[in-house]
Amino acid sequence: MLENLRNIGIIAHIDAGKTTTTERILYYTGLTHKLGETHNGDSVMDFLPAEKERGITVASAAVRCLWKDCFINIIDTPGHVDFTAEVERSLRVLDGAVVLFCAKGGVEPQSETVWRQADRYKVPRIAYINKMDAVGADFCRVVEQIKQRLGANPLVINLPVIQNDAFTGIIDLIEMRYYTFSGLNGDKMESRDIPEDSLDFAQQWHTRMLESLAETDETLLDLYVTDEAIPVDLLMQTIRRNTITGEMVPVLCGSSYRNIGIQKLLDAVVDFLPSPLDVSPAKAVCNGNQADLQVLPDPQGDLVALVFKIVTDRHVGKLAFARLYSGSLDAGSYVYNSNRGAKERVGRLVRMHANHREEIERVEAGDIVALIGLKDVQTGDTLCREGQDLLLESIQFPEPVIQIAIEPKNQSDQARIMEALSRIAAEDPTFRLNYNKETGQTLIAGMGELHLEIIAERLSREFKVNFNIGKPEVAYKETITQAAEQTTRYVKQTGGKGQYAHVVLRLEPAEGFEFVNKIVGGAIPREYIPAVESGIKQALEDGVLKGYPVVNVRAILLDGSYHEVDSSEMAFRTAAMIATRDCLRKAGPQLLEPIMRLEITAPEEYTGNIINNISNRRGRLQSMDNVNNTQIIRGCVPLAEMFGYSTTLRSLTQGRAAFSMEFSHYEDLHIAS
């Protein structure tokens, strides 16, 4: 039953407790029989060697559990900014999300990033303030930060109870009951009367909750104004409706590590987050027709599915994770990949429980499954029935900002290293593999130093390749600062049929890439126009300054001519490439460098040293906040200046500061003369 299905993601800043929370969910729903701990390296969700060693998540893991007759598909995502693509692709296919916040750290930079990602995909969410047992935990401050920094409308439905400086339980503001969690692993949940010393505080927040909800429901408003008892069912329905529309974000609290509050969080997932029937239907376009089509979550309809993740497995080959938006799929049946124009057979269907597989025979609309047997498939591909040719909106990923050179230690590793890198590139959309023709180097690019470090570990550990790597380099880009025109005639006579193409091209600064065809009267036949666009794009891959990709260009094909016998697609592609390169030289080429958003948390006495160091690194200070005698410094700094910054910061602050960094934007690079 679709109404009894929840597809949710666990998203948050690094070290907020996502994996620990997911491990508790698996335990309380009966999927595991012992509590896995990230710090011991025995958690179910962090099963990769790199995750066990570091105690962090680097790849999203999927699992399915049952709570209150509801099946819940959970995707536990990484918190580190280098792996933000895992969050991006997960949110694209999920119906709801649980956003975790640390009760001490509050809304941190990556919290804002994942929140904006959820905003972009209009994903309903609930907030869970974790680590209420930590020294310095402040529930009310985090709620206020959710409101101020994220622009959300938090609806507090749980309150923490602190007795003798210890977090003892939570107050449910809907039922107005106090819940404690005892037993060996917190599995004994008891409902009690609210403690006397917490009653006034609870009453204040209960009134706030009712007032917020009354503004959105007339029946509830009438009962509230006349001071009549409000049924719990009505409160639940109103909260659910406001959560699904995104008007409100229910806020719960707990301590996952201390086994407090997880059962109430599971209740909230079932009660408030949407089923596939509650969210807006997915939109698709039919190839060649840009009109939007609605894809309804109907198991009896035609198959429409989106591949959102590719994993290469040693035993079964390529695993394609897919979300079914419509129809059903049987093991052994055929699907049509409309992005590749190819029909392929699905050998097996498996339901993933982290790294364990459960083979199934059939999957229906609304569900998430892994397909085995597809060979030519990539992240973002649409699967449908042959003849339908539908395309779902693909997934947008950020561009890599850092690159390193890599080379095999001996000739025998050459073929193996390229095969291994190609397999990793097929799995990871933010990983790029390039060959620099000028230097003869193979370059790999990613989202940060940790991202590339883990890829290097995989090459050594999984693929048994011996290699050397260079120092990290910044992935610069190039752009143009002014408009320029170029007329190019490409004429080549070889005795037989020659080559002839004539193009008049104009390049202008723009946002992104745009190709405009202004040919009239058939000066260039229509069949050659795609070849011109292809030539322009190919030329923009290598800029004229340093060979970096050229971005933010509008290319306008103004005029040209052709020869009835000698013209060809190859001739027009070559002419377009020559014209583009010549045009780039005239258009004021400019280098662009990646700018990182930086947040530093440090004791007040080190503020001056930190700010001076940021200035020396060509950084700009944006804001400073003082929280509990700790200074939070935010700014923007070029990535080129940030290599090895962790060592510098430790020496500046005697190891008492921490920082986080994420990509912000590209900016003109001004090199001092």
Side-chain angles (χ1 to χ4, degrees), residues 49 314 408-410 412-421 423-424 455-467:
R314 281 184 308 179
K409 282 189 176 177
N410 49 59
S412 63
D413 283 319
Q414 179 68 47
R416 287 168 59 211
I417 196 170
M418 294 311 293
E419 183 194 348
L421 289 172
R423 283 170 66 179
I424 292 171
I455 283 169
E457 279 181 20
R458 285 190 63 191
L459 284 174
S460 178
R461 185 179 272 143
E462 281 181 42
F463 300 101
K464 305 290 187 288
V465 175
N466 296 311
F467 58 89

Side-chain angles (χ1 to χ4, degrees), residues 174-193:
I174 300 170
E175 302 172 3
M176 286 302 280
R177 297 289 294 170
Y178 169 49
Y179 284 89
T180 58
F181 302 82
S182 55
L184 185 61
N185 292 312
D187 36 19
K188 188 179 177 185
M189 185 172 75
E190 294 182 24
S191 172
R192 307 180 181 187
D193 291 334

Side-chain angles (χ1 to χ4, degrees), residues 42-95:
D42 62 359
S43 67
V44 173
M45 303 304 279
D46 285 352
F47 56 85
L48 297 174
E51 295 176 321
K52 289 179 180 293
E53 288 168 8
R54 290 175 172 82
I56 63 168
T57 304
V58 301
S60 55
V63 73
R64 182 183 177 94
C65 57
L66 180 67
W67 184 258
K68 286 189 172 178
D69 298 326
C70 241
F71 284 105
I72 307 173
N73 287 323
I74 301 173
I75 296 183
D76 174 34
T77 64
H80 197 285
V81 65
D82 282 15
F83 309 104
T84 191
E86 292 286 339
V87 183
E88 190 80 28
R89 60 173 155 202
S90 300
L91 286 172
R92 171 66 180 80
V93 297
L94 293 172
D95 301 322

Side-chain angles (χ1 to χ4, degrees), residues 500-643:
Y500 178 88
H502 166 218
V503 295
V504 180
L505 186 67
R506 177 181 172 86
L507 297 186
E508 298 175 351
E511 284 293 319
F513 172 77
E514 186 183 348
F515 175 72
V516 181
N517 176 21
K518 288 196 173 179
I519 295 295
V520 291
I524 298 176
R526 274 188 303 180
E527 61 265 29
Y528 295 143
I529 301 299
V532 173
E533 183 178 0
S534 171
I536 293 168
K537 286 181 176 176
Q538 197 172 336
L540 292 177
E541 288 175 7
D542 300 301
V544 294
L545 287 176
K546 300 284 184 181
Y548 294 112
V550 183
V551 296
N552 298 340
V553 171
R554 180 184 296 112
I556 305 168
L557 181 59
L558 297 171
D559 200 0
S561 63
Y562 73 104
H563 189 278
E564 287 187 1
V565 176
D566 291 348
S567 287
S568 65
E569 285 189 8
M570 190 181 81
F572 272 100
R573 187 181 296 111
T574 306
M577 287 175 65
I578 296 168
T580 303
R581 291 205 178 105
D582 290 342
C583 217
L584 285 173
R585 292 186 182 93
K586 297 189 213 171
Q590 169 74 51
L591 273 181
L592 297 174
E593 66 174 339
I595 305 296
M596 309 302 284
R597 191 180 297 117
L598 179 69
E599 179 171 302
I600 303 163
T601 307
E604 281 186 278
E605 59 263 36
Y606 301 110
T607 304
N609 291 344
I610 292 169
I611 291 172
N612 285 338
N613 188 260
I614 290 173
S615 298
N616 293 338
R617 293 172 183 266
R618 297 190 288 125
R620 296 191 302 273
L621 195 65
Q622 290 180 321
S623 69
M624 289 170 59
D625 292 315
N626 191 306
V627 180
N628 298 332
N629 297 320
T630 299
Q631 201 71 37
I632 299 172
I633 302 162
R634 297 184 184 87
C636 282
V637 188
L639 174 62
E641 306 288 345
M642 293 305 291
F643 293 123

Side-chain angles (χ1 to χ4, degrees), residues 209-482:
M209 180 189 74
L210 293 180
E211 287 173 352
S212 297
L213 292 171
E215 292 174 4
T216 67
D217 188 280
E218 287 188 14
T219 307
L220 204 155
L221 178 62
D222 291 341
L223 293 172
Y224 180 69
V225 169
T226 55
D227 208 20
E228 292 181 51
I230 300 172
V232 168
D233 283 352
L234 179 59
L235 285 176
M236 301 284 276
Q237 289 167 17
T238 310
I239 295 170
R240 179 178 176 78
R241 188 177 64 249
N242 282 295
T243 304
I244 291 171
T245 59
E247 295 295 320
M248 292 179 180
V249 178
V251 179
L252 299 93
C253 64
S255 169
S256 300
Y257 184 62
R258 300 291 176 200
N259 309 318
I260 298 175
I262 297 296
Q263 293 94 324
K264 298 302 286 182
L265 175 62
L266 277 165
D267 288 346
V269 166
V270 170
D271 293 336
F272 306 133
L273 288 180
S275 73
L277 295 171
D278 298 317
V279 294
S280 302
K283 289 180 181 174
V285 293
C286 196
N287 252 340
N289 177 13
Q290 293 306 307
D292 280 348
L293 300 171
Q294 286 197 335
V295 180
L296 299 173
D298 178 11
Q300 307 305 318
D302 289 326
L303 171 69
V304 183
L306 181 74
V307 175
F308 67 94
K309 183 179 171 76
I310 302 290
V311 174
T312 305
D313 188 281
R314 281 184 308 179
H315 307 292
V316 298
K318 195 178 275 189
L319 273 169
F321 285 75
R323 160 77 189 260
L324 266 71
Y325 286 97
S326 175
S328 58
L329 185 61
D330 294 302
S333 60
Y334 284 86
V335 294
Y336 180 72
N337 185 331
S338 49
N339 294 76
R340 313 277 149 220
K343 184 180 176 182
E344 288 199 68
R345 182 175 180 272
V346 178
R348 291 150 61 197
L349 297 174
V350 291
R351 184 155 279 139
M352 297 302 293
H353 297 287
N355 62 334
H356 300 292
R357 294 184 291 272
E358 174 199 346
E359 202 149 328
I360 57 175
E361 290 302 314
R362 182 181 174 86
V363 64
E364 294 188 340
D367 218 337
I368 291 171
V369 72
L371 318 178
I372 298 174
L374 303 182
K375 291 179 175 60
D376 185 21
V377 64
Q378 292 183 12
T379 301
D381 284 359
T382 301
L383 306 177
C384 55
R385 68 169 175 80
E386 195 171 13
Q388 207 175 10
D389 218 9
L390 289 177
L391 286 173
L392 290 162
E393 183 187 352
S394 195
I395 310 169
Q396 300 299 317
F397 295 105
E399 287 293 313
V401 295
I402 188 171
Q403 64 184 15
I404 55 175
I406 186 167
E407 60 181 26
K409 282 189 176 177
N410 49 59
Q411 198 62 37
S412 63
D413 283 319
Q414 179 68 47
R416 287 168 59 211
I417 196 170
M418 294 311 293
E419 183 194 348
L421 289 172
S422 299
R423 283 170 66 179
I424 292 171
E427 290 182 23
D428 186 348
T430 58
F431 173 72
R432 297 281 192 280
L433 173 62
N434 297 305
Y435 180 72
N436 189 317
K437 288 172 283 193
E438 291 180 13
T439 62
Q441 287 181 311
T442 300
L443 299 173
I444 58 173
M447 297 305 296
E449 290 180 85
L450 180 62
H451 187 194
L452 294 181
E453 186 183 312
I454 286 174
I455 283 169
E457 279 181 20
R458 285 190 63 191
L459 284 174
S460 178
R461 185 179 272 143
E462 281 181 42
F463 300 101
K464 305 290 187 288
V465 175
N466 296 311
F467 58 89
N468 295 316
I469 56 174
K471 288 184 178 178
E473 294 178 7
V474 177
Y476 293 101
K477 292 191 184 299
E478 297 183 24
T479 190
I480 57 174
T481 56
Q482 61 196 45

